[in-house]
Amino acid sequence: MYRRKKSQKMFEGADDPRRTYLLRLSLREHPSAKKLCQYLLRTASPDVSSDAAQLLANLAKLINSKKMLEMGCSYGYNPLVLALVLPSDGKLIAHVRETEDISQAREFWREAAVDNKIQVEVKSEEQTLDGLLSAGEVGTFDLIFINMSGLTNCRKCYEKCLRLLKSRGVLAIDGVLCNGAVLKKNSMTDQLQSIQQMNEAILRDARVFLSILPLADGLMLCFKL
């Protein structure tokens, strides 16, 4: 009755030996992806975690994905991992903001021989999504990844991406926990409120099945019906 409960925390940090053990036994990182990851760690440029990227690539392979879209903050690691599982005629559209430097990533894309599969769009999120919708791309993407870092109208981005996604396609959303800040009730920024509202809306969205995994900063997987 008075025995101390075990901690429910899975890992104590990125250097937790249990996490290192799991990654050693599960992570199959391409040499070019590994070098890019190490480069990004040195420059402190944020990107999706390696285990989350591999999970998305495994899902893409499982559904025989030929067309993918990445939205939000990225410095080239996740597009590289996803492009590696695309067939020779596959395509990944990578949205990149003007403030994001992917020049180094492009070198690793070429090294991994996937640069021909990646189409870079240097525009705002709204311009990229509206351009795809107006170009008749509704229901044509097998997998869409959204990085919520820096997005302020998350609900609108989700709705547009869902329109672009095929039935039985996968919509993955990274950063839905905001380092726990979504639990705050006072002094929330516009971005936090936007993510919180989107999370609540997706819970009630009958158009998708969903799961939230404790990977990185919260990875939400939506499977479109």
Side-chain angles (χ1 to χ4, degrees), residues 25-176:
L25 290 181
S26 65
L27 190 61
R28 296 176 177 178
E29 205 168 23
H30 187 280
S32 298
K34 187 173 184 178
K35 285 189 282 188
L36 176 54
C37 183
Q38 291 170 345
Y39 168 79
L40 293 175
L41 287 174
R42 291 195 300 271
T43 59
S45 298
D47 215 319
V48 63
S49 65
S50 54
D51 47 349
Q54 179 171 281
L55 174 60
L56 295 179
N58 289 340
L59 288 172
K61 188 71 173 178
L62 189 65
I63 63 175
N64 297 316
S65 179
K66 296 184 67 176
K67 191 174 180 181
M68 296 187 271
L69 171 65
E70 169 159 322
M71 296 296 303
C73 180
S74 173
Y75 288 86
Y77 178 82
N78 197 52
L80 171 53
V81 175
L82 291 177
L84 284 166
V85 301
L86 280 171
S88 58
D89 60 341
K91 181 174 72 171
L92 184 147
I93 298 176
H95 160 259
V96 176
R97 296 171 186 153
E98 292 182 355
T99 56
E100 296 164 2
D101 181 11
I102 60 166
S103 56
Q104 190 67 34
R106 287 181 183 273
E107 293 186 18
F108 292 108
W109 294 353
R110 286 190 289 269
E111 182 182 287
V114 298
D115 54 309
N116 61 316
K117 300 178 185 178
I118 303 174
Q119 175 185 325
V120 176
E121 293 284 338
V122 186
K123 299 176 182 177
S124 69
E125 287 87 358
E126 189 173 6
Q127 288 174 328
T128 299
L129 292 173
D130 288 345
L132 291 170
L133 289 170
S134 60
E137 298 283 4
V138 172
T140 63
F141 288 88
D142 303 298
L143 184 144
I144 299 177
F145 172 77
I146 309 174
N147 190 328
M148 282 295 147
S149 177
L151 290 181
T152 54
N153 200 330
C154 303
R155 179 78 178 275
K156 185 179 290 187
C157 181
Y158 166 78
E159 289 293 339
K160 291 179 180 179
C161 285
L162 198 63
R163 289 179 60 194
L164 292 168
L165 192 66
K166 281 182 178 179
S167 177
R168 300 184 182 275
V170 179
L171 175 56
I173 307 173
D174 189 36
V176 297

